[in-house]
Amino acid sequence: MHKNLLTFIWGATMLLAHSWSQAASDLPPTAKVDMGPVEEVCSDFISPEWRKEQVIDGVTIQASRLCNPDNPSDIAAFVKGTNGVSMKTLMETQLAADAITMSDDIDGDGDPDKIIIRLEVVELNGHSPDMKDPTTTFDIAPGIQPTFWVFAPKTRDMSTKSIYELVANPLLRVPSPAIHVEQDDVIWLILENTHYLPHSIHLHGIDHPFMDMSGVGNDGVAQTSNMDTMPGESKTYVIKPRQAGTMYYHCHVQPHTHIPMGLQGIFVVEENRPNNWPQTFNVGAGQVRHPSVAVLEKYAREYDLHYGSADKELHNVIARSANDPRLIAKHMNTEYDVTDATDDYFMLNGRSFPYTLRESLIEMQQDEKVKLRIYNGTQDTLAFHAHGHKPTATHYDGVDNGPNSYMTRDVHAIAPAQRLDLELSGVDDGLHSFGPGIWMFHDHVEKAFTTDGIGEGGDISLVVYRDFLDEKGMPKSHGMDLTPYFSKELWKRNYPIWQDYDKWHSLGLPDLKADYKPSKVAVQTVKEQWAPATPQAEPESSAFGKLVFGLILGLLSYVLIINRKMIYDRVRKLINK
């Protein structure tokens, strides 16, 4: 009743309001905002030869149509080991000579069964006392450089591409590399801590003994297993995984900050097959250019998809707050409150849109099937959605669901730290695929396709059928021009990307500083005209005043009626006195 009464009063007030309160006026002109310098959508820096299918030192390397494919020499070394490729091939990489060594065909099936992998800890976009700007840079999008800590293959030479530029060499990047090993192989995973804080490796979901053969803890947890690896020290984790599947690894020191900082990566145990040489490292995730024998039995290609997120306070403020490791540890471990954290950046394989178009496209052909290994490295549930397709979930957390439990749907929910294996089919049947085209895929939690709140950004990428790719591996878009997304001004919130949607710039920003004179005004000025003096009449009550008076009178009457018995009794008592 009260709500209806208030609605009536408000509506009556609006109807009786003066007409000048709704008068129209001209708006300021539209500002034409310059998008500033724009990067090439795909530069010519990468040799076109890198995109081709090829054989190096006996290693067959699949074609990659991407704008920014991996170095084929790196792939050969990842497959054969740095001790198994030619010196020429090794020199075309920046890998240390002992980064990956392979030996001992114990079971006699034609492939090595003892693999030694060496990992370092690297800081990207770090703070240096010698320079104002971040050093060893890695951009997740144009001009956006959060600080990260990552595991990386052991490298030689410089951490940057050259002495003239601060860009990190391709082996040092977000995310930490995906690692692929074979089931039943003996793996030595050696952490060489080259960072200024202690770290460890926990093999999440990977079959490993609690203690190694020497009686030293092997689980990477200081509270229960083994002490953290201090700066300058190394630690060897020994495993012989008996079960195949998609797992992951991460640092277990202050995990609430070290994991979001980037010390996490996919770890795949491949099914055992004769003459099987997995691609030990898949740096940056994305396409596995040398899939295992078991994967090629069912699929044309394989992709590692590592989803990540970052909080500006942690990555841009806390991580750069000092040059003293003691102070950084203090700020990060005792002052930063992760329970108040809000993620600002959302990434797929270490990049946000539009950079995902250069590295994380999924190439499809009609009637083909590809394997997707998805890891949720964010702090929230991930809702994986592919337009134009309904992928089938075959494995959760590295465990085969069984054919009777495979799930085909267009949104797959993945909790933090979970892994999901999907079969993406190009069979155009209206269920698994709707046909060839350029189809977006992304986390359907809406904030995940923004970058610091600006859309479209975040972890957006595309499933692109081969005929829709140009010679540089970029999609032949049938929608808007993608060039503005490669402008830093957009991500600085200076450039409204919608201003050029039409030739009238109808969605541009108003120029509030413009010097303009409206052609219409809100109230027309009327010159006062002379008229004979007449006696002034008493001003009539306004309609609004009458309305208020009527409401008051009505309320008074209501009170009198409700209390009539009490009033009647009191009046009668007064009369009888």
Side-chain angles (χ1 to χ4, degrees):
M1 175 179 172
H2 293 293
K3 187 180 290 186
N4 293 337
L5 180 61
L6 290 173
T7 303
F8 172 75
I9 294 172
W10 177 250
T13 303
M14 292 297 100
L15 286 172
L16 297 170
H18 290 292
S19 59
W20 53 261
S21 66
Q22 299 181 19
S25 178
D26 283 350
L27 297 175
T30 299
K32 177 65 175 175
V33 180
D34 184 12
M35 75 173 68
V38 178
E39 300 176 11
E40 290 184 70
V41 174
C42 182
S43 70
D44 293 319
F45 180 77
I46 299 295
S47 169
E49 296 298 314
W50 284 16
R51 300 189 180 105
K52 296 179 180 178
E53 182 176 352
Q54 53 200 283
V55 177
I56 298 178
D57 290 348
V59 177
T60 300
I61 300 169
Q62 285 188 340
S64 173
R65 298 282 297 278
L66 294 176
C67 165
N68 190 21
D70 292 329
N71 178 356
S73 295
D74 287 343
I75 306 297
F78 295 155
V79 174
K80 280 292 187 73
T82 47
N83 63 327
V85 293
S86 66
M87 183 58 68
K88 175 180 179 296
T89 299
L90 184 60
M91 289 298 101
E92 289 175 352
T93 76
Q94 289 187 275
L95 291 165
D98 60 348
I100 316 161
T101 56
M102 303 181 179
S103 62
D104 302 349
D105 182 6
I106 299 171
D107 56 11
D109 67 350
D111 55 56
D113 297 317
K114 182 178 180 180
I115 316 296
I116 301 176
I117 302 168
R118 296 178 187 271
L119 289 174
E120 299 178 316
V121 180
V122 176
E123 182 169 88
L124 300 171
N125 300 319
H127 185 69
S128 166
D130 303 319
M131 304 184 68
K132 179 182 177 181
D133 296 325
T135 58
T136 313
T137 62
F138 179 84
D139 290 26
I140 65 170
I144 300 179
Q145 300 177 335
T147 295
F148 293 99
W149 304 337
V150 294
F151 296 113
K154 185 177 179 181
T155 58
R156 66 173 197 278
D157 209 3
M158 301 181 63
S159 63
T160 56
K161 284 186 176 180
S162 72
I163 61 174
Y164 304 107
E165 52 187 340
L166 297 176
V167 178
N169 82 52
L171 296 175
L172 313 180
R173 57 159 298 159
V174 183
S176 297
I179 297 175
H180 292 243
V181 300
E182 189 182 29
Q183 183 182 11
D184 295 323
D185 282 356
V186 176
I187 313 296
W188 288 14
L189 188 62
I190 302 176
L191 171 62
E192 297 185 358
N193 189 2
T194 48
H195 198 229
Y196 49 76
L197 292 177
H199 297 292
S200 72
I201 293 178
H202 172 61
L203 299 163
H204 184 119
I206 304 158
D207 176 28
H208 65 280
F210 180 71
M211 310 286 283
D212 64 21
M213 302 249 338
S214 65
V216 177
N218 201 47
D219 194 40
V221 182
Q223 293 80 9
T224 59
S225 171
N226 56 278
M227 283 301 296
D228 304 328
T229 305
M230 297 299 289
E233 296 181 349
S234 66
K235 160 69 180 172
T236 301
Y237 300 87
V238 182
I239 62 174
K240 187 180 180 182
R242 292 166 289 182
Q243 301 295 328
T246 306
M247 320 297 181
Y248 92 107
Y249 66 104
H250 63 83
C251 179
H252 220 293
V253 179
Q254 294 289 316
H256 65 290
T257 53
H258 286 213
I259 293 176
M261 282 298 296
L263 293 170
Q264 54 171 311
I266 296 172
F267 197 110
V268 178
V269 179
E270 303 279 3
E271 296 177 34
N272 197 319
R273 294 289 189 277
N275 200 30
N276 192 20
W277 296 73
Q279 180 182 318
T280 306
F281 281 127
N282 184 18
V283 172
Q287 183 180 352
V288 181
R289 294 188 68 181
H290 185 83
S292 70
V293 173
V295 168
L296 290 176
E297 289 171 358
K298 298 179 181 179
Y299 302 101
R301 278 175 303 285
E302 176 184 10
Y303 294 85
D304 296 328
L305 303 180
H306 182 140
Y307 285 84
S309 58
D311 170 25
K312 282 198 302 185
E313 182 187 357
L314 176 62
H315 292 254
N316 293 2
V317 180
I318 299 294
R320 300 177 189 172
S321 59
N323 295 316
D324 187 331
R326 297 171 300 175
L327 293 177
I328 291 179
K330 176 179 181 291
H331 298 159
M332 186 166 288
N333 300 338
T334 65
E335 297 173 1
Y336 175 73
D337 187 350
V338 71
T339 63
D340 293 333
T342 301
D343 286 332
D344 303 282
Y345 304 123
F346 302 89
M347 299 156 285
L348 170 60
N349 298 337
R351 307 285 194 183
S352 298
F353 181 84
Y355 283 177
T356 50
L357 302 183
R358 295 175 176 173
E359 299 182 352
S360 294
L361 298 180
I362 295 174
E363 181 188 341
M364 285 291 291
Q365 285 207 87
Q366 194 162 343
D367 298 328
E368 278 187 346
K369 292 181 180 180
V370 302
K371 184 176 183 65
L372 310 180
R373 300 183 189 267
I374 303 174
Y375 162 57
N376 181 7
T378 74
Q379 305 299 298
D380 296 308
T381 298
L382 186 152
F384 179 87
H385 171 56
H387 295 200
H389 299 80
K390 288 185 170 65
T392 299
T394 60
H395 300 68
Y396 259 108
D397 291 346
V399 179
D400 192 334
N401 293 334
N404 293 332
S405 298
Y406 290 170
M407 292 184 294
T408 301
R409 51 176 56 168
D410 58 28
V411 177
H412 292 270
I414 313 171
Q418 279 199 309
R419 290 84 57 211
L420 176 67
D421 289 18
L422 292 181
E423 177 179 281
L424 186 68
S425 172
V427 175
D428 182 5
D429 58 3
L431 174 64
H432 299 90
S433 170
F434 303 167
I438 303 173
W439 302 101
M440 184 180 290
F441 71 93
H442 55 85
D443 177 2
H444 218 301
V445 177
E446 277 69 17
K447 65 181 179 180
F449 41 91
T450 68
T451 298
D452 196 13
I454 301 173
E456 291 79 11
D459 56 35
I460 292 172
S461 194
L462 307 172
V463 175
V464 186
Y465 282 70
R466 188 165 297 176
D467 291 342
F468 290 83
L469 286 168
D470 66 20
E471 67 281 356
K472 288 187 176 181
M474 297 302 291
K476 301 174 184 176
S477 174
H478 291 244
M480 65 178 289
D481 181 14
L482 299 178
T483 303
Y485 287 106
F486 291 87
S487 164
K488 293 181 181 179
E489 294 302 308
L490 171 63
W491 307 108
K492 291 179 181 177
R493 302 178 183 270
N494 295 332
Y495 175 71
I497 197 167
W498 54 84
Q499 77 168 10
D500 296 318
Y501 272 18
D502 59 51
K503 62 183 179 180
W504 300 282
H505 309 297
S506 59
L507 294 177
L509 298 176
D511 188 353
L512 302 179
K513 296 181 180 179
D515 183 16
Y516 77 103
K517 186 176 182 180
S519 59
K520 293 182 289 185
V521 292
V523 179
Q524 184 176 356
T525 303
V526 180
K527 290 185 178 180
E528 188 175 343
Q529 295 183 354
W530 179 88
T534 55
Q536 285 193 342
E538 289 291 325
E540 293 186 13
S541 300
S542 67
F544 183 72
K546 292 178 179 178
L547 175 63
V548 172
F549 178 75
L551 287 171
I552 293 172
L553 187 61
L555 288 171
L556 182 60
S557 301
Y558 176 76
V559 171
L560 291 173
I561 292 170
I562 292 296
N563 297 284
R564 64 184 182 276
K565 187 176 184 304
M566 181 186 70
I567 295 170
Y568 174 75
D569 291 341
R570 289 195 177 186
V571 170
R572 188 177 62 182
K573 286 179 181 179
L574 289 173
I575 293 172
N576 292 333
K577 280 185 177 181

